[in-house]
Amino acid sequence: MDNFDETGPETAEPLPVSSARFSQARAAQSMAVLEDYAEMIDDLTQDLGEARITDIAARMGVTHPTATKAVARLKREGLAMSRPYRGVFLTETGAALAARVRARHRTVVDLLVAVGVPQETAELDAEGLEHHVSEVTLHAFEAFLARRS
């Protein structure tokens, strides 16, 4: 029974541990998209005073409809709002999410640089890693970096 940890929705048969991991990975990927958009909206708001869908799409390298769909999801999740004839703005919760993502990114970059990864490569690699690092791992990174200081 060591290879099973939960039951499936349709049956009482246990699901393999690996399916739980894959499910967790899919959820993390879905959250990563929200985090990227929240961070981008925050950047645009700081740079331009607001984040228009056109600017979000251009910076994210996606089509206007793709950006619109992502922003709609942020709104449903209570992370963003829009104003008539204005752009998209983060709610307090959305702004806090963007700040956490930015801090997590910085920690991952700092760790990669500490183990010898060149700065530019660390920045690029951290963009993907930052969304999949657990809080436990992130705290271990922070503790490692603190011991090195």
Side-chain angles (χ1 to χ4, degrees):
M1 257 318 168
D2 291 336
N3 292 332
F4 298 95
D5 69 348
E6 48 184 83
T7 60
E10 304 287 330
T11 69
E13 294 180 32
L15 292 174
V17 171
S18 62
S19 71
R21 278 191 229 125
F22 289 127
S23 178
Q24 182 180 0
R26 284 190 304 277
Q29 185 61 36
S30 178
M31 189 61 185
V33 171
L34 280 181
E35 291 173 347
D36 282 342
Y37 276 90
E39 192 175 10
M40 181 56 64
I41 291 168
D42 191 50
D43 290 345
L44 286 166
T45 302
Q46 289 178 22
D47 294 347
L48 306 174
E50 67 181 0
R52 298 177 310 133
I53 295 289
T54 302
D55 297 325
I56 295 168
R59 289 232 187 142
M60 295 295 288
V62 299
T63 64
H64 195 279
T66 298
T68 299
K69 184 178 175 183
V71 168
R73 183 169 170 220
L74 286 169
K75 289 178 183 179
R76 280 193 312 275
E77 298 284 337
L79 300 170
M81 61 184 173
S82 59
R83 298 182 185 150
Y85 309 106
R86 296 282 317 269
V88 178
F89 300 89
L90 294 175
T91 62
E92 283 185 36
T93 305
L97 174 64
R100 280 194 312 274
V101 170
R102 196 168 279 116
R104 195 166 55 216
H105 178 87
R106 191 81 267 132
T107 298
V108 173
V109 169
D110 290 348
L111 176 80
L112 293 173
V113 169
V115 298
V117 177
Q119 182 73 36
E120 187 175 322
T121 303
E123 289 287 347
L124 293 170
D125 289 350
E127 193 56 47
L129 295 171
E130 69 191 17
H131 302 293
H132 301 284
V133 174
S134 71
E135 289 300 313
V136 171
T137 301
L138 191 66
H139 290 306
F141 288 176
E142 291 166 345
F144 173 81
L145 291 166
R147 285 192 304 269
R148 292 193 54 151
S149 300

